[in-house]
Amino acid sequence: EAGVTQFPSHSVIEKGQTVTLRCDPISGHDNLYWYRRVMGKEIKFLLHFVKESKQDESGMPNNRFLAERTGGTYSTLKVQPAELEDSGVYFCASSQGSGIHYEQYFGPGTRLTVT
Amino acid sequence: LAKTTQPISMDSYEGQEVNITCSHNNIATNDYITWYQQFPSQGPRFIIQGYKTKVTNEVASLFIPADRKSSTLSLPRVSLSDTAVYYCLVGDYRAGNNRKLIWGLGTSLAVNP
């Protein structure tokens, strides 16, 4: 079974540009999460999808970030316009369910560098 | 949401048992304790989860005292490939569909030959 995949693995963009990150969850996983780790700090939750619906987006830093999951399969996270402080590693995770016994499976992350 | 405190780093040698302790003084009744492992350039990976007493799987053991204010992840006979960052997380995963994970900085374990 394929794991969670993320694309691209690395992205270097200039301040003010737009970047779109993609996450493909494990097939059949309705729950999809985005997390971000800024250098030197802890991993932080961004948002949670259940199928195509946003269940919790309390961690989204501001309106420059837009996440979508059309059709309830893959998800995209767009940053527009990017700022220097958006640099970090963006992780996506998926889980089959939301109960206590459903662990979250993480992708390898996308390293975003804004210059 | 309960905050966790772990040592920033630990060193060990191959073949030794490693115990990483996590403090979570304000853990709530419905909170579970979960440990994740993260290798460089990879996403975190679930290791073990528990509520109280002891849990063991093929990778590790998790010891939780009666007051649940701390927990200890035990890795038996570590090898070089166990070099990673280990995260302790505490949260109520029963609350509907909201299962966001709250992370600390983790413990960076270095296993030496």
Side-chain angles (χ1 to χ4, degrees):
Chain A
E1 175 184 273
V4 176
T5 58
Q6 293 186 245
F7 182 83
S9 56
H10 293 84
S11 180
V12 181
I13 61 172
E14 293 183 354
K15 176 182 173 181
Q17 289 186 322
T18 298
V19 63
T20 300
L21 314 181
R22 173 171 170 143
C23 168
D24 285 78
I26 293 172
S27 177
H29 282 193
D30 287 339
N31 293 266
L32 187 149
Y33 307 80
W34 283 97
Y35 295 87
R36 175 175 75 169
R37 184 209 217 124
V38 173
M39 183 176 288
K41 301 201 172 178
E42 64 273 17
I43 298 171
K44 287 205 167 176
F45 166 84
L46 296 178
L47 90 160
H48 170 207
F49 283 100
V50 177
K51 297 185 179 179
E52 66 276 7
S53 299
K54 292 177 184 174
Q55 190 71 21
D56 179 358
E57 50 184 327
S58 61
M60 294 288 265
N62 51 60
N63 58 10
R64 295 186 293 104
F65 289 75
L66 175 64
E68 295 179 321
R69 193 183 181 196
T70 306
T73 54
Y74 71 91
S75 174
T76 58
L77 179 65
K78 180 190 286 188
V79 185
Q80 179 182 30
E83 298 289 344
L84 297 178
E85 64 265 24
D86 300 333
S87 295
V89 182
Y90 290 77
F91 292 103
C92 172
S94 72
S95 63
Q96 191 171 25
S98 59
I100 187 63
H101 299 297
Y102 295 105
E103 69 181 80
Q104 294 186 21
Y105 295 84
F106 282 76
T110 293
R111 181 174 296 278
L112 174 64
T113 302
V114 183
T115 62
Chain B
L1 294 162
K3 180 181 171 169
T4 61
T5 304
Q6 306 172 233
I8 294 295
S9 63
M10 293 182 69
D11 278 283
S12 184
Y13 293 91
E14 283 189 291
Q16 288 189 332
E17 177 184 77
V18 171
N19 296 307
I20 306 174
T21 297
C22 177
S23 297
H24 26 80
N25 291 318
N26 57 341
I27 190 169
T29 302
N30 295 327
D31 284 343
Y32 282 73
I33 301 155
T34 309
W35 286 79
Y36 275 76
Q37 173 191 57
Q38 185 180 22
F39 298 113
S41 301
Q42 293 187 26
R45 181 176 74 113
F46 173 91
I47 301 177
I48 198 166
Q49 182 179 75
Y51 183 80
K52 61 180 179 181
T53 64
K54 176 183 175 182
V55 179
T56 297
N57 61 22
E58 64 278 5
V59 176
S61 293
L62 178 60
F63 297 92
I64 306 169
D67 67 5
R68 304 199 326 121
K69 292 184 183 296
S70 67
S71 59
T72 299
L73 175 73
S74 182
L75 305 171
R77 296 182 298 282
V78 294
S79 63
L80 296 177
S81 63
D82 292 316
T83 294
V85 178
Y86 293 82
Y87 296 94
C88 163
L89 298 95
V90 172
D92 182 354
Y93 298 141
R94 306 173 314 143
N97 289 323
N98 187 342
R99 288 196 60 222
K100 62 184 179 184
L101 299 176
I102 308 299
W103 303 79
L105 290 173
T107 297
S108 181
L109 172 66
V111 179
N112 303 293

